[in-house]
Amino acid sequence: MPSFILRRLAAGVTTLLTLCVLTFFLLYLGAADTARNIVGQTASEEIVERKKAELGLDRPLIVQFADWAGSALTGDLGRSWFTGQEVTDALVGRLPVTLSLTIGAVLLSAIVAITIGAIAAGRRGWADRTVQVLSVAGSAVPGFLIALFLAVVFAIDLGWFPATGYIRPSDSVVGWLSTITLPVIALSVGAIAGVAQQVRGSMIDALRLDYVRTLRSRGLPHRRVVYRHVLRNASGPALSTLGLQFVVMFGGAVVVEQVFALPGLGQAAVSATSQGDIPLVMGVVIITAVIVVLVNLTVDLLQAWLNPKVRLS
């Protein structure tokens, strides 16, 4: 197990480094235009060059990357080119919002998808057909349409939840739950559909295996066979799908945060990208990449714990 963890850690660090290098060079190659955008299109070349020197853009690109990487290793991601705020401070304040949405959506997706997937595989018949129809429908509808529908019906028409804004849990737990409920549901629908299908398929395959017939021949109750033995063996693919869905939901949070006006990483990414605030964009990319790598590592470790054969693959 230790060697498995080390291999996964090495793969995660390599992925992170590669992403940092590629993103930095792709973004900073076009940074010269950003200097002009900051000082204005009518500014003289002298003013533009002065701004480039102020931002450090007049140095060779490799030198800029070495400076950025050295600072990033100490937790300093630079300053916003437009607000002057520390990038780390700007993102740390927004990270809890996005994590609230994605972690809440993952938990909701796991609970609902595993439950209905197991019911569909265990009972088959109308329950199975219903889950399949709902899964296809849930996968087909875009997340932003679901978010708009929830906002119009449950926030504007019925008034059960606030349509916009975010309340910190430190201010009010009830208020916090009310502000994230609709965004979490909007993010979860597609993930529930995908994971439920995966759980259903894996469990149907597992139910046909010899060890299941052996357990049943020994008189074990159907419920115990399904939920104690089959579900555990079928959980590996479901975990992989859930990990992938987390990445999708993290990206989908960009749209959902815009619909519900939530001050998360997605809103910061949209604003920074439209302005050309490259240090802030780099900060969003790095934090997102670190979270994705950690989630994938966690999924790998859980799979290895559930299925020892994974450690040898």
Side-chain angles (χ1 to χ4, degrees):
M1 191 68 175
S3 62
F4 175 81
I5 296 174
L6 287 176
R7 288 202 305 272
R8 288 297 183 268
L9 278 174
V13 171
T14 303
T15 302
L16 195 57
L17 290 176
T18 304
L19 185 67
C20 286
V21 172
L22 290 177
T23 306
F24 183 91
F25 282 94
L26 286 174
L27 288 175
Y28 277 78
L29 278 173
D33 294 336
T34 304
R36 175 165 288 283
N37 291 337
I38 294 174
V39 297
Q41 296 298 323
T42 57
S44 64
E45 281 300 322
E46 181 184 357
I47 295 176
V48 174
E49 292 302 320
R50 195 183 307 156
K51 192 63 183 178
K52 286 182 183 177
E54 179 186 332
L55 299 176
L57 297 176
D58 57 339
R59 299 172 299 164
L61 204 53
I62 189 68
V63 175
Q64 295 181 49
F65 176 73
D67 286 349
W68 178 87
S71 300
L73 289 175
T74 65
D76 180 9
L77 296 175
R79 288 180 176 275
S80 166
W81 284 353
F82 287 83
T83 65
Q85 185 183 15
E86 292 277 356
V87 171
T88 306
D89 293 341
L91 297 182
V92 164
R94 293 174 175 271
L95 185 59
V97 180
T98 305
L99 284 181
S100 296
L101 299 185
T102 49
I103 292 176
V106 166
L107 292 176
L108 180 64
S109 302
I111 293 171
V112 176
I114 292 174
T115 301
I116 64 176
I119 291 173
R123 296 186 179 179
R124 307 302 298 270
W126 67 268
D128 187 19
R129 290 192 290 274
T130 303
V131 168
Q132 288 192 64
V133 170
L134 292 178
S135 296
V136 172
S139 301
V141 181
F144 73 92
L145 282 182
I146 297 172
L148 289 173
F149 171 78
L150 294 174
V152 170
V153 174
F154 295 100
I156 297 174
D157 291 346
L158 298 176
W160 292 354
F161 300 94
T164 59
Y166 177 77
I167 299 175
R168 298 178 187 279
S170 57
D171 297 333
S172 169
V173 174
V174 176
W176 171 69
L177 286 173
S178 69
T179 54
I180 68 167
T181 297
L182 295 182
V184 164
I185 294 174
L187 279 176
S188 304
V189 172
I192 290 172
V195 178
Q197 284 282 43
Q198 183 64 61
V199 171
R200 171 192 170 274
S202 299
M203 288 190 66
I204 288 175
D205 291 340
L207 284 167
R208 295 170 178 158
L209 297 178
D210 292 338
Y211 82 91
V212 175
R213 284 193 285 270
T214 303
L215 291 173
R216 284 174 170 167
S217 67
R218 291 179 179 176
L220 266 73
H222 175 74
R223 184 185 297 272
R224 185 175 177 183
V225 171
V226 170
Y227 291 101
R228 184 169 180 176
H229 298 279
V230 175
L231 184 57
R232 175 168 180 168
N233 288 336
S235 58
L239 272 176
S240 297
T241 306
L242 200 59
L244 181 62
Q245 290 294 338
F246 180 89
V247 178
V248 173
M249 284 189 280
F250 212 86
V254 173
V255 177
V256 173
E257 288 175 6
Q258 292 293 314
V259 172
F260 292 97
L262 299 174
L265 287 180
Q267 197 179 64
V270 172
S271 172
T273 304
S274 61
Q275 288 180 321
D277 196 344
I278 292 177
L280 195 53
V281 175
M282 277 296 299
V284 173
V285 171
I286 298 306
I287 286 184
T288 303
V290 169
I291 291 173
V292 169
V293 167
L294 288 177
V295 169
N296 285 333
L297 179 63
T298 304
V299 170
D300 286 344
L301 294 179
L302 283 174
Q303 283 187 316
W305 175 66
L306 290 168
N307 184 3
K309 288 188 292 186
V310 173
R311 303 172 202 167
L312 304 176
S313 63

